Amino acid sequence: MKKIVFAALLSALLISMLTMSFDIQLTKTESYREKLMSNPLSVVPIINGRISVDEWTDAAKYHLKFGGDHYPDYYEAYIYLKNNEEALYICVDSILAKEWVENENFTDLRIYFDADHDGSFSNGDCYFYLGYAARRSDYCSWIGHYVEDHWVESQDDRPDLMMCSYTSSSDRPEPHWIMEFKVPFNSEEGIPRKDVIGFLLTKDNEVINWPYNSFAWMPETFGDLSLASIQPKLEILEIKTNVSQIFIGDRFYIEMLIKNTGNTPIYLWPFVESSFNPEDSIKDVEGRLVWIFIDCITLDPGQSMYEIDPFM
């Protein structure tokens, strides 16, 4: 037994010494990709290319630099990310740009999505393009979808899903470009809803990208974007006792005021007692009607209601 313990300790000591002396990495579990995370949405933004007060305060905020070894720091922007179960919302708030990359008369941006996060383009992947050029005096936008082995671009502008403006914001009075995007989930206009997707932002030159040294035609170089998991959250605000104690046979039930404090609807099923018909009602000890059996109820975010539950 002593020999076994001594051998184990000696082995651990040698591994420790080798690792410290030669910086040996025995295992590597983290991805090499750049990582961003979206926040759960509480305020649905208006897609108009303007940042109003509190419109993006619930979003995750990042300061990103675009470029690569040969194009260092050619563009910088604050990126805001948030989502619910219906869509991903993105705001790009420009900070600094080289004159030929972006100026008061010109801007554009493409956002690529590797929706199935497999490091290659396949059906379901897409990109959003948004741009403005003063020489044309107009905005242009479209969505490109990857179908089979090539990109298919939509023919119509989509101001309902993306828009930009050269204006100020609440925290930055000087005029600058602001872009807002809505990317629907599980729709022909957007991407499938996944927990993690490949994500790339690119300016008019495809080597001025985020992540650094990434390429729009190489999804394996994209960053990771983790979407917020939206979970319903039920909170008990009040438990009624005494006059609202309810008995069904020899079983005791209580009446509670509940509220959906989450970000997504909660579907509730009515209590069903085998000795009662669906049309029957429940009365409290003073004979007041407190609940009637009905169909399933949807409790929307922020909504509250009284519910009958068995006493545990």
Side-chain angles (χ1 to χ4, degrees):
M1 179 66 180
K2 291 181 179 179
K3 291 182 179 179
I4 295 174
V5 172
F6 177 78
L9 289 172
L10 181 60
S11 175
L13 179 61
L14 288 172
I15 292 173
S16 177
M17 291 175 64
L18 285 170
T19 303
M20 289 187 295
S21 302
F22 301 102
D23 194 27
I24 294 175
Q25 296 293 330
L26 298 181
T27 59
K28 184 175 179 63
T29 57
E30 293 186 0
S31 169
Y32 65 89
R33 291 187 175 201
E34 296 285 345
K35 293 177 171 60
L36 301 177
M37 295 185 66
S38 173
N39 273 2
L41 176 153
S42 58
V43 176
V44 177
I46 299 173
I47 306 301
N48 58 5
R50 300 175 182 271
I51 300 177
S52 59
V53 177
D54 297 331
E55 187 178 29
W56 290 94
T57 55
D58 57 337
K61 181 180 180 180
Y62 295 91
H63 179 185
L64 301 184
K65 295 183 178 182
F66 291 49
D69 293 340
H70 300 292
Y71 295 88
D73 302 344
Y74 266 63
Y75 180 71
E76 297 179 29
Y78 294 120
I79 308 297
Y80 298 85
L81 300 164
K82 59 182 178 179
N83 70 273
N84 55 18
E85 289 301 314
E86 297 178 356
L88 167 66
Y89 293 87
I90 304 168
C91 178
V92 180
D93 192 10
S94 293
I95 301 172
L96 175 68
K98 299 292 184 180
E99 179 68 17
W100 62 275
V101 172
E102 181 178 78
N103 55 60
E104 63 184 30
N105 295 313
F106 173 80
T107 187
D108 76 343
L109 185 75
R110 291 184 192 230
I111 306 179
Y112 281 85
F113 301 95
D114 176 15
D116 51 6
H117 197 250
D118 63 352
S120 63
F121 286 130
S122 55
N123 292 349
D125 296 341
C126 72
Y127 72 83
F128 278 44
Y129 174 85
L130 174 61
Y132 172 82
R135 63 181 180 272
R136 296 195 306 266
S137 299
D138 67 351
Y139 299 88
C140 57
S141 60
W142 65 78
I143 303 172
H145 289 278
Y146 197 81
V147 179
E148 300 305 331
D149 59 354
H150 63 284
W151 291 101
V152 177
E153 297 175 348
S154 62
Q155 300 299 314
D156 299 325
D157 284 341
R158 296 306 307 263
D160 57 324
L161 297 181
M162 51 191 127
M163 182 53 69
C164 61
S165 68
Y166 190 74
T167 185
S168 61
S169 54
S170 58
D171 59 341
R172 296 173 58 203
E174 74 282 1
H176 57 281
W177 282 106
I178 299 171
M179 299 184 173
E180 291 182 310
F181 299 82
K182 175 184 177 181
V183 184
F185 294 138
N186 303 323
S187 163
E188 293 182 356
E189 301 171 328
I191 59 175
R193 171 65 166 91
K194 304 287 185 179
D195 291 334
V196 183
I197 58 178
F199 185 68
L200 177 135
L201 300 155
T202 181
K203 292 296 289 180
D204 60 325
N205 188 315
E206 288 191 336
V207 296
I208 302 177
N209 304 333
W210 182 92
Y212 243 52
N213 291 322
S214 60
F215 300 96
W217 59 88
M218 296 175 62
E220 63 270 25
T221 67
F222 288 14
D224 288 346
L225 173 57
S226 298
L227 300 176
S229 177
I230 309 299
Q231 298 294 334
K233 184 179 180 182
L234 203 60
E235 182 179 347
I236 299 175
L237 303 181
E238 176 188 356
I239 298 179
K240 297 188 122 184
T241 56
N242 299 324
V243 297
S244 292
Q245 292 175 358
I246 301 163
F247 292 89
I248 301 177
D250 58 353
R251 299 178 66 182
F252 172 48
Y253 295 79
I254 57 175
E255 184 180 0
M256 297 184 299
L257 177 61
I258 60 174
K259 182 178 181 179
N260 180 359
T261 57
N263 294 303
T264 190
I266 298 175
Y267 302 96
L268 301 174
W269 285 264
F271 164 74
V272 176
E273 177 70 27
S274 59
S275 60
F276 282 79
N277 294 320
E279 295 79 14
D280 289 335
S281 62
I282 299 177
K283 296 182 179 181
D284 64 19
V285 293
E286 292 189 350
R288 296 179 307 170
L289 177 66
V290 294
W291 202 52
I292 299 176
F293 288 109
I294 57 176
D295 291 333
C296 298
I297 301 171
T298 299
L299 194 62
D300 292 322
Q303 187 179 3
S304 59
M305 64 170 288
Y306 283 97
E307 185 185 51
I308 305 299
D309 281 311
F311 178 75
M312 304 301 292

